């Protein structure tokens, strides 16, 4: 059944080091990807422990600063990330670390192997939004989506809209 839980309702587990870990994946029983949350009580506390990922697992990681502000260091390069910032680390070998710059900073982490196939709607929505601004880019988005989802009715409709924008009404009608 669906579950709704607020981050503050998920157990806060101390450690390692200054991390406070919220086991989001385990709490929800999620199996599609890994996800957790980390909260720092004090400025200078870790919100992402210094680490890299196993090359055998080849996990990509995405961090989202949900509250506060964190200083991320990725392979020695520092980035300031305020609430609302995503930090994507595609290479498992990248050494990463993040430290809270405000008390109560909370970082959400998401990770797993790069095996996910997005739904056709992602391409469709992007293409339709582009038709009026950049029809060539809209076509490229639709064609990319159709490579992954050749039978998608939504992408065929998006292609018809591209063709209409290009002035080819006959091809648009034949697409649907």
């Amino acid at each position: 059944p669906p579950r709704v839980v607020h981050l503050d309702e998920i157990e806060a587990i101390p450690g390692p080091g200054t991390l406070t870990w919220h086991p989001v994946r385990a709490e929800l029983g999620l199996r599609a990807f890994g996800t957790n949350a980390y909260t720092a009580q004090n400025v200078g506390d870790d919100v992402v422990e210094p680490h890299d990922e196993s090359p055998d697992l080849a996990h990509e990681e995405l961090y989202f600063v949900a509250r506060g502000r964190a200083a991320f260091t990725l392979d020695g390069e520092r980035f300031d990330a305020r609430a609302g910032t995503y930090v994507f680390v595609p290479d498992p070998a990248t050494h990463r670390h993040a430290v809270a710059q405000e008390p109560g900073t909370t970082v959400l982490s998401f990770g797993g192997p790069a095996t996910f196939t997005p739904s056709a709607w992602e391409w469709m929505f992007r293409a339709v939004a582009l038709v009026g601004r950049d029809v060539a880019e809209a076509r490229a988005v639709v064609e990319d989506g159709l490579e992954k989802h050749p039978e998608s009715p939504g992408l065929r409709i998006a292609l018809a809209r591209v063709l209409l924008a290009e002035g080819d009404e006959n091809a648009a009608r034949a697409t649907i």
Side-chain angles (χ1 to χ4, degrees):
R3 300 260 326 267
V4 176
V5 63
H6 190 278
L7 174 63
D8 294 336
E9 297 169 346
I10 298 173
E11 183 179 14
I13 299 172
T18 59
L19 284 174
T20 299
W21 173 48
H22 303 272
V24 176
R25 191 213 57 75
E27 173 74 23
L28 296 174
L30 185 65
R31 296 180 27 209
F33 54 88
T35 183
N36 291 294
Y38 303 92
T39 301
Q41 298 306 311
N42 304 300
V43 170
D45 285 356
D46 287 345
V47 284
V48 175
E49 78 281 10
H51 75 287
D52 53 26
E53 291 293 318
S54 162
D56 295 332
L57 295 176
H59 285 183
E60 297 180 335
E61 284 192 320
L62 175 66
Y63 299 99
F64 179 74
V65 181
R67 297 178 187 149
R69 189 168 54 89
F72 277 80
T73 304
L74 306 173
D75 280 344
E77 188 174 354
R78 186 184 159 163
F79 301 89
D80 189 52
R82 60 185 169 81
T85 301
Y86 285 100
V87 177
F88 177 49
V89 185
D91 184 354
T94 300
H95 190 269
R96 72 229 42 203
H97 182 211
V99 175
Q101 301 298 293
E102 295 178 9
T105 294
T106 300
V107 173
L108 311 179
S109 69
F110 307 89
T115 59
F116 174 73
T117 300
S119 172
W121 70 262
E122 286 193 32
W123 285 275
M124 183 188 68
F125 284 179
R126 286 178 44 225
V128 168
L130 284 165
V131 167
R133 294 187 320 237
D134 186 343
V135 73
E137 180 65 19
R139 175 181 274 284
V141 169
V142 169
E143 288 173 352
D144 183 53
L146 284 169
E147 284 182 26
K148 284 132 183 106
H149 299 282
E151 301 303 317
S152 167
L155 283 169
R156 287 198 306 274
I157 290 169
L159 178 58
R161 291 181 72 172
V162 167
L163 291 165
L164 280 174
E166 292 173 340
D168 193 344
E169 185 176 336
N170 290 333
R173 289 182 189 277
T175 299
I176 299 177

